[in-house]
Amino acid sequence: MMLPADQVDQLPFWERSLADKVVWVTGAGRGLGRAIAAAVGRSGARLAVTARSAEQLATLGAELSDYPGEVRPFTADVSDAAAVREVAERIAEEWGTLDVLVNMAGISPTVVRSENLSDAAWHDVIDVNLSGTFYCCREAGRLMIANGGGSIVNVSSVHGSVGVPRMCAYAASKGGVEMLTKALAVEWADRGVRVNCLAPGYFRTAMTEPYLASSQGAKVRAAIPLGRVGETEELVGAALFLASDASSYVTGTTLLVDGGWTAQ
């Protein structure tokens, strides 16, 4: 079902510029990833969505059924390199190309003193947030290089650049994502692939609610210059700016969307 022409004209440029492109959004089952997937679907793009939960993907597909463009759900865990490769192969079989990857998949920090952080907890976070991001970049990069270019948007966090106690694994994973972004941006620029990073501050999602409700979370909320946490839709414009032709001369950068938290 196509949006009426007058409604399409009212979409921001960065959404309209995604129309008819092939876009892959990981971590689309809930929270920020779901909101970004919905915005991409609204634009008329051909959309591949992945998450670990088939049930979440099914409800997302139902939500997107009234939007223009095709939607293909793929259940996959990004920490599984073989599963990621299979999704990329199926995208190539379905549409023959890939224009945009938005790497939203990630897991929340294990909030524990670093001397008590277990090996398993460390690997869980690193495997999904850093290795999973690389696996998706690698497979998307292969398709984009073969087809003359594309745009990759990775997702870091304010904790990728600012130290906070008891988030050692999470901070390491997100700092790694930011350097991965820079390395790939430099390496792939001459082949038309842009790679950027989005670094959200504190947004109200199901994943962050427990932390925001804690005593440490209360301190964080009080320290945000804008005086509040972000709402999900407030990240969408920044993500689609980096994904779309609106940022055609931007690569290797990290865009902080944090209410001023890291500026102080």
Side-chain angles (χ1 to χ4, degrees):
M1 176 179 174
M2 297 298 293
L3 288 177
D6 60 337
Q7 292 185 32
V8 172
D9 291 342
Q10 292 173 13
L11 293 176
F13 165 72
W14 47 83
E15 287 191 29
R16 285 185 278 120
S17 75
L18 292 175
D20 297 325
K21 290 193 174 182
V22 177
V23 181
W24 178 12
V25 180
T26 73
R30 61 180 183 172
L32 299 175
R34 193 183 191 93
I36 290 170
V40 172
R42 187 166 60 236
S43 75
R46 288 166 287 174
L47 174 62
V49 290
T50 56
R52 289 187 290 187
S53 168
E55 182 179 356
Q56 289 176 348
L57 289 178
T59 60
L60 174 62
E63 290 175 16
L64 297 178
S65 62
D66 287 338
Y67 289 163
E70 304 170 65
V71 180
R72 297 290 183 270
F74 301 103
T75 305
D77 182 342
V78 298
S79 68
D80 182 340
V84 170
R85 185 174 301 113
E86 182 179 351
V87 171
E89 289 171 352
R90 293 178 67 183
I91 290 171
E93 290 171 2
E94 183 75 24
W95 291 308
T97 189
L98 177 65
D99 300 300
V100 176
L101 166 67
V102 183
N103 245 331
M104 289 299 303
I107 60 176
S108 59
T110 301
V111 183
V112 61
R113 291 190 180 279
S114 297
E115 66 269 26
N116 298 324
L117 183 66
S118 69
D119 294 350
W122 168 268
H123 285 293
D124 284 347
V125 174
I126 297 296
D127 288 351
V128 174
N129 292 0
L130 181 54
S131 297
T133 295
F134 169 69
Y135 297 150
C136 292
C137 284
R138 180 178 62 189
E139 300 308 323
R142 287 171 173 165
L143 293 177
M144 291 175 182
I145 289 168
N147 288 285
S151 175
I152 294 174
V153 182
N154 294 325
V155 178
S156 176
S157 160
V158 292
H159 298 302
S161 56
V162 176
V164 173
R166 306 186 186 192
M167 290 191 181
C168 177
Y170 187 75
S173 72
K174 294 304 187 180
V177 167
E178 293 189 9
M179 288 311 302
L180 172 67
T181 296
K182 291 178 184 293
L184 294 179
V186 172
E187 183 176 348
W188 290 346
D190 64 346
R191 286 174 282 179
V193 180
R194 296 188 298 108
V195 189
N196 289 293
C197 191
L198 188 66
Y202 288 89
F203 281 77
R204 196 180 307 281
T205 69
M207 189 171 76
T208 61
E209 281 290 0
Y211 178 72
L212 292 173
S214 70
S215 58
Q216 184 65 29
K219 293 178 183 177
V220 167
R221 293 198 311 274
I224 298 172
L226 284 183
R228 61 179 177 83
V229 298
E231 299 299 333
T232 302
E233 288 299 324
E234 293 181 294
L235 192 68
V236 170
L240 297 192
F241 164 72
L242 292 177
S244 74
D245 295 340
S247 60
S248 57
Y249 196 57
V250 180
T251 195
T253 195
T254 296
L255 176 58
L256 287 151
V257 187
D258 65 356
W261 194 70
T262 56
Q264 53 192 340

